Amino acid sequence: MDRTDLDPKAPVDKTLIRETYQFYLGRGAHLDTINALIERKLPLGRLENNMVNSREYWQKGPVLATHRRGQWDGSILVVKPARMLFCPIAKVANTSVKDWALRLCGHKADQPVHTLLDGGKIRLQARHHSERQFNETLRDPDWARVAILRDPIDRLISCYWDKFVRNRRTPSVLHHTTPVYRFLLSEEEITEEQIEQGITFRQFCHYINLAPRDAMDPHWAPQSRYLETLRWDHLFRIDNIDAFERFVLDRCPENLQEVRLGMRNVAPRNKKTVDAKLADTPPKQLDKYANLPNEVMLTPDIEDFIRDYFALDYMLLERCQG
């Protein structure tokens, strides 16, 4: 077994069992226990989970720097060539950076990047690493903790065009949007006709404003929610993503300097605008447009809501580098 990259799905051996017991419980494992675990071909992840959920561990075990704290901490990317922990945030160059991380780590994305990473086929996400090794990485001062942030107004309006206008009929999108329709329409079963008619940007804002905060989908949850359980040393604005790319490449070996970020899945922007405000215009009437300038979706009350609801995001934006 490769001791530098422990696979939580791999069965434990005698040495690994002893190391795991020593780290979590501060003692060795009984020989009978070792033999029983090996005979059962218990995966390392199961053993670590048993340790972390044991009363003995709670009484005397080390408090871990872990990916279990926050709702999306398990998705943190462990990018070894750059010695970087990267926090992916939905609707913030998410697909582009994940694709780049795969290429920096020597992988080719022959499937959608989210499929490769979420399923653990390529083990870049924190949830697919040994708890003990992830703890060591988080505590290593040579590793950088990095995230990219986006202006909440731009992110929310982009999300609306993507999920509730342009792709509102797509089954994979409906997985994210159906709870919004159910809340706003007060119906459990949502019809194709209702989806075709859609909801306005104002209605979308009402949902975010009134629905439980913990129920927010990752695409429109505050960016601060992604970052709230760990310290993040390096924050970059998406509109200065070149600075992020330079930062990462400066940490990579020479042979990776030509592996560039590149932006994928970027929605088209309409250079023209319209005189009317469209916050109350249903998607069926917006289909003829590509993404318009943000201003056409903003009214004073809506802009005030976004700046209040996402106030912590704006504070984090002020801390960004570059």
Side-chain angles (χ1 to χ4, degrees), residues 200-225:
T200 67
F201 184 62
R202 180 181 299 279
Q203 288 176 296
F204 181 41
C205 290
H206 276 309
Y207 167 77
I208 296 172
N209 195 34
L210 299 175
R213 196 172 177 87
D214 288 343
M216 291 300 118
D217 185 88
H219 291 86
W220 49 84
Q223 296 163 83
S224 58
R225 293 293 307 275

Side-chain angles (χ1 to χ4, degrees), residues 190 202 236 297 307:
I190 306 303
R202 180 181 299 279
F236 296 89
M297 288 294 181
R307 293 190 180 279

Side-chain angles (χ1 to χ4, degrees), residues 20 113 142 208 212 236 254 258 260 285 288 292 304:
T20 302
V113 292
D142 195 40
I208 296 172
F236 296 89
E254 187 67 30
E258 299 303 318
R260 305 302 298 272
Q285 298 176 34
K288 58 186 175 182
L292 291 168
D304 190 56

Side-chain angles (χ1 to χ4, degrees), residues 76-247:
I76 292 171
L77 299 182
V78 181
V79 187
K80 290 186 177 180
R83 304 179 317 285
M84 174 180 72
L85 295 167
F86 178 79
C87 181
I89 298 175
K91 299 301 294 178
V92 188
N94 192 18
T95 302
S96 299
V97 176
K98 285 179 176 178
D99 176 77
W100 190 36
L102 284 171
R103 289 184 285 115
L104 287 173
C105 293
H107 301 288
K108 184 177 181 180
D110 55 355
Q111 298 178 33
V113 292
H114 305 297
T115 301
L116 289 171
L117 295 173
D118 293 348
K121 183 175 181 180
I122 297 176
R123 295 189 299 107
L124 262 62
Q125 291 183 337
R127 65 167 59 90
H128 301 303
H129 282 69
S130 155
E131 290 259 19
R132 176 160 57 96
Q133 284 195 326
F134 187 68
N135 171 77
E136 292 171 358
T137 299
L138 271 174
R139 296 185 187 280
D140 188 338
D142 195 40
W143 279 68
R145 306 177 183 190
V146 186
I148 304 173
L149 297 170
R150 184 176 184 178
D151 185 298
I153 288 176
D154 190 54
R155 179 173 177 253
L156 197 64
I157 293 176
S158 171
C159 181
Y160 175 74
W161 280 104
D162 178 27
K163 305 298 183 190
F164 293 95
V165 181
R166 193 169 54 247
N167 299 308
R168 68 183 183 279
R169 309 168 189 89
T170 306
S172 60
V173 170
L174 287 169
H175 168 74
H176 299 282
T177 58
T178 296
V180 182
Y181 293 123
R182 286 173 176 163
F183 181 92
L184 291 171
L185 302 176
S186 300
E187 295 182 20
E188 187 65 24
E189 296 297 326
I190 306 303
T191 67
E192 290 184 8
E193 182 180 0
Q194 289 170 320
I195 293 169
E196 183 63 25
Q197 180 66 21
I199 62 169
T200 67
F201 184 62
R202 180 181 299 279
Q203 288 176 296
F204 181 41
C205 290
H206 276 309
Y207 167 77
I208 296 172
N209 195 34
L210 299 175
R213 196 172 177 87
D214 288 343
M216 291 300 118
D217 185 88
H219 291 86
W220 49 84
Q223 296 163 83
S224 58
R225 293 293 307 275
Y226 287 83
L227 307 176
E228 64 187 1
T229 58
L230 293 170
R231 295 188 303 274
W232 296 94
D233 310 313
H234 304 278
L235 301 178
F236 296 89
R237 298 180 67 106
I238 194 172
D239 48 10
N240 191 21
I241 201 165
D242 288 348
F244 164 74
E245 183 183 32
R246 289 194 302 271
F247 173 83

